[in-house]
Amino acid sequence: IFTISLILGTTITISSNHWIMAWAGLEINTLAILPLISKSHHPRAIEAATKYFLTQAAASTLVLFSSMNNAWYTGQWDITQLTHPTSCLVLTTAISMKLGLVPFHFWFPEVMQGTSLIVGLLLSTAMKFPPITLLYMTSPSLDPTLLTTLAILSVAVGGWMGLNQTQIRKIMAFSSISHLGWMAIVISYNPKLTLLNFYLYTMMTAAVFLTLNSIKALKLPTLLTSWTKSPALNTVLLLTLLSLAGLPPLTGFLPKWFIIQELTKQDMAPAATVISLLSLLSLFFYLRLAYCATITLPPHATNHVKQWRINKPVNLSIAILTTLSLTLLPMSPM
């Protein structure tokens, strides 16, 4: 029931023309993911669900407020006709809260840490899709300077705060925040690039989360001993993480390349330079994850039990997703 409600809420939001319908879809989404977050009856999970509920409720209220304000001044309930400046400002705030853009990012790592890996994957991909479509539809009327500021701050904070983490779900949350920065910076100039970036990000993140889920790794020390379990899977995880970091021969470089190109076309070379340099910060913690996954042998004085190799076949979805997240850049000219 909850999964169907998730799909239903997303579909309602992305196919609506009227603000109230979009809002209703967002609400259905929020209410459907809450039981999934708090499924494991752990106090941490309940806390995560409460935090998620409060921020999303506030963001939905702001969406409603901005659309009502716009309708009050212009008589328009159409999503694409959001023209009143105050409404645009409030909507940008609301969507930033929904997505977890800086400075409204504080809930996201906490909520990710409280849930399982699969729900974490849903939170960082599926739950970001409706707000991104709303941004896509309203992008011509939003303020580009504000979005650029939020984006650069997001990439910076996502990089800096991820450096010191040992919990994998938190690292993935900060990686999500910095990727959202890349999406937000280009939405005013070329919204299709934002969607492309989002799809590729979803694919690579799904590959990483499903791999981590199959080797049951939640924190870096567990990842240190996981290479004995399935060496091939860990090797591919190394490459997928580097793709997520955006290194050139892999898929993750494709959206970054397009976005930098678009920004230089818009005479925003300084912003492109800053955002590229800040993404080096997140490259550091991807490298650390990759290093822990494959290269390090744990020291002999370790108190970790070495895991037995299990000859179970790798999930087909992991195989497809990792292949795509490694090879789409060479195939992109086609």
Side-chain angles (χ1 to χ4, degrees):
I1 288 176
F2 294 132
T3 317
I4 292 171
S5 305
L6 269 180
I7 299 169
L8 173 75
T10 307
T11 315
I12 289 177
T13 303
I14 64 182
S15 57
S16 58
N17 289 316
H18 196 289
W19 271 114
I20 300 288
M21 284 298 284
W23 170 80
L26 290 172
E27 284 297 301
I28 292 173
N29 250 356
T30 305
L31 294 175
I33 195 89
L34 284 173
L36 300 178
I37 297 176
S38 56
K39 189 162 174 266
S40 67
H41 298 302
H42 189 276
R44 195 71 195 261
I46 310 294
E47 180 192 344
T50 314
K51 284 176 177 170
Y52 185 78
F53 172 72
L54 291 173
T55 46
Q56 299 299 311
S60 296
T61 318
L62 282 176
V63 167
L64 210 50
F65 172 64
S66 84
S67 52
M68 281 170 66
N69 193 33
N70 188 61
W72 176 260
Y73 280 108
T74 63
Q76 272 291 354
W77 279 103
D78 198 316
I79 293 186
T80 50
Q81 304 290 324
L82 190 79
T83 47
H84 194 260
T86 317
S87 301
C88 293
L89 190 66
V90 176
L91 183 84
T92 311
T93 312
I95 302 259
S96 305
M97 277 174 82
K98 281 259 175 222
L99 291 172
L101 278 171
V102 175
F104 310 104
H105 64 286
F106 295 99
W107 61 275
F108 189 45
E110 304 291 324
V111 174
M112 287 280 277
Q113 187 52 36
T115 63
S116 66
L117 281 167
I118 296 298
V119 182
L121 170 63
L122 278 179
L123 280 175
S124 52
T125 56
M127 301 303 291
K128 301 282 162 91
F129 188 47
I132 285 215
T133 51
L134 286 180
L135 261 187
Y136 181 84
M137 288 190 277
T138 54
S139 59
S141 47
L142 298 180
D143 180 17
T145 323
L146 176 65
L147 282 170
T148 307
T149 316
L150 289 180
I152 290 179
L153 281 175
S154 293
V155 179
V157 170
W160 262 310
M161 290 181 72
L163 294 181
N164 214 9
Q165 302 293 338
T166 55
Q167 296 285 346
I168 294 178
R169 285 164 297 183
K170 277 195 175 171
I171 292 182
M172 293 310 290
F174 286 117
S175 113
S176 179
I177 291 171
S178 57
H179 273 274
L180 282 169
W182 279 91
M183 291 174 221
I185 198 167
V186 81
I187 187 94
S188 312
Y189 308 109
N190 194 341
K192 285 191 173 138
L193 277 186
T194 299
L195 285 187
L196 171 79
N197 193 347
F198 179 73
Y199 298 146
L200 293 179
Y201 163 73
T202 302
M203 194 181 66
M204 297 182 290
T205 311
V208 171
F209 267 109
L210 291 173
T211 308
L212 290 171
N213 188 49
S214 77
I215 55 183
K216 302 276 181 288
L218 292 177
K219 48 187 191 293
L220 289 180
T222 325
L223 205 56
L224 282 174
T225 54
S226 69
W227 63 275
T228 50
K229 218 177 188 180
S230 47
L233 191 58
N234 273 35
T235 314
V236 178
L237 176 63
L238 161 87
L239 290 170
T240 318
L241 284 164
L242 294 182
S243 175
L244 202 52
L247 288 186
L250 308 166
T251 308
F253 181 59
L254 184 67
K256 286 190 162 59
W257 181 18
F258 282 159
I259 288 172
I260 289 171
Q261 196 175 354
E262 181 62 36
L263 289 178
T264 34
K265 276 183 200 161
Q266 301 288 346
D267 290 336
M268 290 176 64
T273 313
V274 169
I275 203 169
S276 313
L277 288 174
L278 286 172
S279 67
L280 288 175
L281 289 168
S282 41
L283 173 66
F284 177 80
F285 60 75
Y286 289 124
L287 276 176
R288 193 172 60 186
L289 269 175
Y291 187 79
C292 288
T294 48
I295 305 166
T296 357
L297 297 182
H300 289 299
T302 179
N303 51 3
H304 272 280
V305 184
K306 282 243 177 47
Q307 295 160 337
W308 287 92
R309 267 182 81 163
I310 303 163
N311 290 328
K312 65 172 200 283
V314 170
N315 195 334
L316 180 66
S317 54
I318 299 184
I320 295 172
L321 286 166
T322 40
T323 312
L324 284 175
S325 52
L326 300 183
T327 56
L328 276 185
L329 179 66
M331 284 161 41
S332 59
M334 300 194 296

